[in-house]
Amino acid sequence: MPTIEEYMSVALITGAYFMLTLVSYVGMGDIATKEVFEWAKNKSKLLKASFVVCRFKDDIQSNQLEQMRGHLASCIQIYMKEHGSTYEEACEKFRRMAADAWK
């Protein structure tokens, strides 16, 4: 099982959030300029914060279903193991982290 830092470094890259951001701009027509794609490619603080929020919210919502399917690593399970916390404490930790990402 990876550490929470290892998990997050991979989860934020492999999530579909970056691709969804780019596709959203393409769907807006003339707004999809080279400058917009350069901005997105550099992963501004705004984009990074939105990726963190989406990842944590997704992991919280899908955790129980994923565990029933036998998935080994989720940020909730990893945090619980690393910190000896309960499920509720781990979910609350990631809710706070998602809220902090917007600040």
Side-chain angles (χ1 to χ4, degrees):
M1 187 175 285
T3 66
I4 197 68
E5 290 82 19
E6 292 169 333
Y7 173 83
M8 289 309 299
S9 69
V10 172
L12 293 176
I13 294 169
T14 60
Y17 310 113
F18 183 67
M19 184 268 314
L20 290 173
T21 300
L22 295 179
V23 169
S24 295
Y25 279 110
V26 170
M28 292 180 186
D30 293 341
I31 292 174
T33 64
K34 182 178 179 179
E35 290 80 22
V36 167
F37 289 101
E38 287 296 321
W39 171 80
K41 186 174 85 173
N42 292 324
K43 294 188 178 95
S44 71
K45 288 182 180 182
L46 174 65
L47 284 180
K48 287 179 186 177
S50 65
F51 296 169
V52 167
V53 169
C54 291
R55 181 81 247 178
F56 288 161
K57 295 291 186 174
D58 179 60
D59 283 358
I60 291 167
Q61 293 300 315
S62 64
N63 180 67
Q64 291 180 330
L65 179 61
E66 289 176 356
Q67 293 307 304
M68 289 184 344
R69 291 180 180 166
H71 291 203
L72 296 176
S74 76
C75 69
I76 304 297
Q77 302 309 111
I78 294 168
Y79 185 85
M80 288 170 57
K81 182 179 178 185
E82 281 186 16
H83 298 279
S85 69
T86 65
Y87 172 78
E88 291 78 18
E89 291 168 338
C91 287
E92 182 56 31
K93 170 69 174 177
F94 288 103
R95 283 187 197 101
R96 282 193 314 269
M97 291 172 70
D100 289 346
W102 278 125
K103 293 180 182 176

